[in-house]
Amino acid sequence: MDHILSGIKPTGQLTLGNYIGAINKFVKLQDSGESFLFIADLHALTLPIEPEVLRTNSRDLAAFYLAAGLDPNKSNIFLQSDVSAHAELAIILQNYLYMGELSRMTQFKDKSSKMKEEAIGLGLFAYPVLMAADIVLYDSKVIPVGEDQVQHVELARDLVKRFNNRYGDVLVMPRAEVNKVGARIMSLSDPTKKMSKSDPKGDIYLKDDPAVMRKKIMSAVTDMEAHVHYDPEKQPGISNLMTILSCLTGKSFDEIEKEFEGKGYGDFKRAVADAVVNELEPLQQRAKQIIDSGLVDEVLEKGAKRANEIASGVLSRVQKAIGLYHK
Ligand code: AQP
């Protein structure tokens, strides 16, 4: 049975982008293999975060995974920090990725661009090393991610090639699996930028009050073209809203264009707001019930147990291959 691996950083409140680009995809894939879905709490440390915020975000993330339909009998949900092999393997793999390639990573360039060099943590720079360790630890072939993470998966593929050329067939080659539609949900206030947890402008948070969601969608930046048409170059705001509507309702772009022919942007935005609220309001209620029930701890413990079984096997395979002396 194939292994599927992915994670989300508990750096902030989950966004509609995380939901459409990642969580929904995890749910769709969970019948095609055994999933290992972790809460990337070690990755969350790469930028400053308050301990209480990290704890709450981690618990909420697990609750939203479950509320979205991930079944703990099919998907192993766990904290990255509960499986020490992630950190141990990253220490080994850092020797097989190079400064030049790490400094070319878009995420690193974006996140460090406004920081003084003395303030850029080594963890932020080495983020793709830990991510490569995450990926290869479960012998996963399929890595469901949004478009922004594809570059990191490509780097992990380079590493696997490099490592296997040197030591033989030790690591399994992963590949990124990206949604055809919805791989990059854009900010509502600046549709040329991706919607991101750490950039509150233009986000829809999964925990937003429905009235706030509606307000944000009704005031989303659009254009003067005055027709609902999919053209990300000329109409990035409308195209983004069409993508959201299509992902949440299953309607194609053609169907949406026909439905709103001759209608104003107000009607169209109201339909998008309805779709978002219809999807997220019950999701919030389920997540709240899950938090109140205490199920999260149980699921995380079970997930970590299974994850440790697989990860420790892969880690010892690597240790043996590179010559660390073990009986
Ligand atoms: N806007 C988006 N559209 C589609 N997919 C998205 N993802 C993130 N934003 C969008 C996907 O969600 C998963 C979680 O990613 P992550 O938490 O590891 O980090 P990220 O990609 O950096 O996500 P954020 O929300 O932008 O977090 P911050 O602000 O902390 O950096 C990934 O599969 C990602 O592709």
Side-chain angles (χ1 to χ4, degrees):
M1 197 189 224
D2 272 353
H3 286 178
I4 298 157
L5 177 281
S6 202
I8 298 186
K9 301 192 295 274
T11 36
Q13 280 194 41
L14 289 166
T15 69
L16 185 63
N18 298 134
Y19 181 69
I20 290 176
I23 300 179
N24 245 350
K25 179 93 185 166
F26 303 164
V27 177
K28 284 192 193 118
L29 283 173
Q30 73 176 337
D31 287 320
S32 54
E34 184 178 2
S35 294
F36 292 85
L37 301 173
F38 63 98
I39 292 152
D41 51 359
L42 296 176
H43 282 290
L45 296 170
T46 48
L47 288 173
I49 184 161
E50 286 302 317
E52 205 39 56
V53 174
L54 178 56
R55 255 189 295 276
T56 307
N57 288 348
S58 299
R59 182 208 59 193
D60 286 358
L61 181 45
F64 273 105
Y65 274 167
L66 294 167
L70 288 170
D71 174 352
N73 293 315
K74 295 178 190 162
S75 299
N76 303 295
I77 299 173
F78 58 99
L79 293 164
Q80 186 183 26
S81 59
D82 270 344
V83 182
S84 58
H86 286 256
E88 288 181 66
L89 187 59
I91 291 287
I92 294 174
L93 295 186
Q94 66 186 355
N95 301 300
Y96 304 87
L97 283 171
Y98 304 122
M99 304 272 286
E101 51 197 0
L102 291 174
S103 58
R104 283 194 293 275
M105 292 294 110
T106 309
Q107 179 177 283
F108 173 70
K109 286 197 277 189
D110 285 351
K111 293 205 186 281
S112 63
S113 64
K114 291 194 189 87
M115 296 163 78
K116 288 202 179 112
E117 201 171 305
E118 312 83 84
I120 301 172
L122 183 58
L124 185 63
F125 184 66
Y127 184 105
V129 178
L130 180 56
M131 182 157 160
D134 303 334
I135 288 175
V136 299
L137 263 180
Y138 298 92
D139 285 340
S140 340
K141 292 188 184 136
V142 183
I143 317 295
V145 284
E147 209 172 78
D148 59 316
Q149 291 294 339
V150 171
Q151 197 185 29
H152 289 157
V153 180
E154 287 302 315
L155 190 63
R157 285 172 60 84
D158 291 344
L159 176 133
V160 168
K161 229 177 276 162
R162 200 172 286 161
F163 194 93
N164 286 353
N165 273 342
R166 178 145 177 210
Y167 299 108
D169 250 354
V170 181
L171 302 175
V172 170
M173 183 60 80
R175 74 177 160 76
E177 167 109 11
V178 183
N179 283 335
K180 285 199 179 69
V181 178
R184 192 171 168 82
I185 300 297
M186 310 307 274
S187 156
L188 298 185
S189 59
D190 178 357
T192 60
K193 278 173 55 189
K194 124 182 146 136
M195 187 182 282
S196 195
K197 282 185 231 95
S198 55
D199 181 13
K201 275 188 264 141
D203 272 353
I204 291 195
Y205 292 118
L206 302 191
K207 281 174 88 177
D208 272 344
D209 188 85
V212 172
M213 292 178 196
R214 284 187 189 280
K215 198 163 167 224
K216 286 179 176 176
I217 293 167
M218 294 312 289
S219 46
V221 167
T222 52
D223 51 62
M224 306 296 279
E225 301 283 322
H227 68 289
V228 175
H229 173 62
Y230 187 77
D231 182 343
E233 291 288 308
K234 261 172 81 182
Q235 296 188 253
I238 288 294
S239 302
N240 188 38
L241 292 174
M242 286 178 75
T243 302
I244 293 172
L245 188 58
S246 168
C247 289
L248 297 182
T249 62
K251 288 179 188 166
S252 68
F253 292 146
D254 274 356
E255 285 171 316
I256 297 172
E257 284 175 4
K258 282 203 188 90
E259 189 178 337
F260 292 96
E261 219 172 273
K263 293 190 184 155
Y265 284 172
D267 287 338
F268 170 60
K269 284 178 166 179
R270 259 185 296 280
V272 177
D274 285 345
V276 170
V277 171
N278 287 344
E279 180 86 9
L280 297 189
E281 203 174 16
L283 183 80
Q284 288 178 351
Q285 284 159 2
R286 287 197 295 276
K288 188 173 175 322
Q289 280 164 3
I290 288 164
I291 290 170
D292 294 343
S293 74
L295 183 65
V296 165
D297 288 353
E298 209 180 290
V299 166
L300 291 177
E301 194 181 330
K302 178 169 174 272
K305 190 161 175 273
R306 174 70 180 143
N308 267 302
E309 274 168 26
I310 303 291
S312 59
V314 176
L315 177 64
S316 21
R317 200 162 78 216
V318 170
Q319 289 169 330
K320 212 165 140 202
I322 61 176
L324 297 184
Y325 185 70
H326 287 284
K327 269 193 281 179

